[in-house]
Amino acid sequence: GETFRKFSAPRHGSLGFLPKKRSRRHRGKVKAFPKDDPKKPVHLTAFLSYKAGMTHVVREVDRPGSKLNKKETVEAVTILETPPMVIVGVVGYIETPKGLRALKTVFAQHLSEECRRRYYKNWYRSKKKAFTKYS
């Protein structure tokens, strides 16, 4: 049946973690890339990392004019884990009136087995045909 609490109380758990369900992808994705500068050479614009937790550090504050200047304070820091990222291909984009559109995807000539494994739910039962016809 429905039960009502007699007195009001703070809710249990933050609403920032809703909806509580299993994530659709394990690997995160870059939500926003930095603005592209055409004058710079082609380079890696983002790097994936995972928030592993938080801790604190004691550091000396260098803020002239502040009363904390040259004093040691304890500050919270986030620990990010950045596992090695392997580039397996590049995507070329073309400008259209509606914005950018993917023009061509080029994959590497030789993809490692650990990369090809990601394309299968069950690697040892599969025929391992991913990227064999790609040239």
Side-chain angles (χ1 to χ4, degrees), residues 74-85:
V74 177
E75 285 191 346
V77 291
T78 304
I79 295 174
L80 297 177
E81 288 209 345
T82 51
M85 201 159 72

Side-chain angles (χ1 to χ4, degrees), residues 62-134:
D62 181 36
R63 254 179 277 162
S66 161
K67 70 178 173 58
L68 287 172
N69 193 25
K70 294 198 177 118
K71 290 196 178 66
E72 289 197 335
T73 59
V74 177
E75 285 191 346
V77 291
T78 304
I79 295 174
L80 297 177
E81 288 209 345
T82 51
M85 201 159 72
V86 181
I87 296 172
V88 295
V90 289
V91 182
Y93 292 91
I94 189 169
E95 288 239 30
T96 66
K98 288 191 284 186
L100 289 177
R101 171 178 79 80
L103 178 69
K104 198 79 181 149
T105 305
V106 182
F107 284 97
Q109 223 119 33
H110 301 287
L111 295 177
S112 64
E113 187 201 296
E114 57 185 7
C115 170
R116 296 205 328 272
R117 267 174 179 269
R118 299 286 103 231
Y119 288 87
Y120 291 95
K121 271 273 185 267
N122 197 337
W123 173 254
Y124 86 98
R125 279 228 190 108
S126 66
K127 291 200 166 73
K128 303 168 181 53
K129 298 285 274 184
F131 294 99
T132 52
K133 288 189 168 70
Y134 185 84

Side-chain angles (χ1 to χ4, degrees), residues 27-46:
R27 175 177 55 81
K29 64 178 194 189
V30 182
K31 297 272 173 60
F33 284 96
K35 262 264 175 264
D36 187 43
D37 186 9
K39 290 189 270 300
K40 286 185 182 155
V42 177
H43 63 286
L44 193 66
T45 51

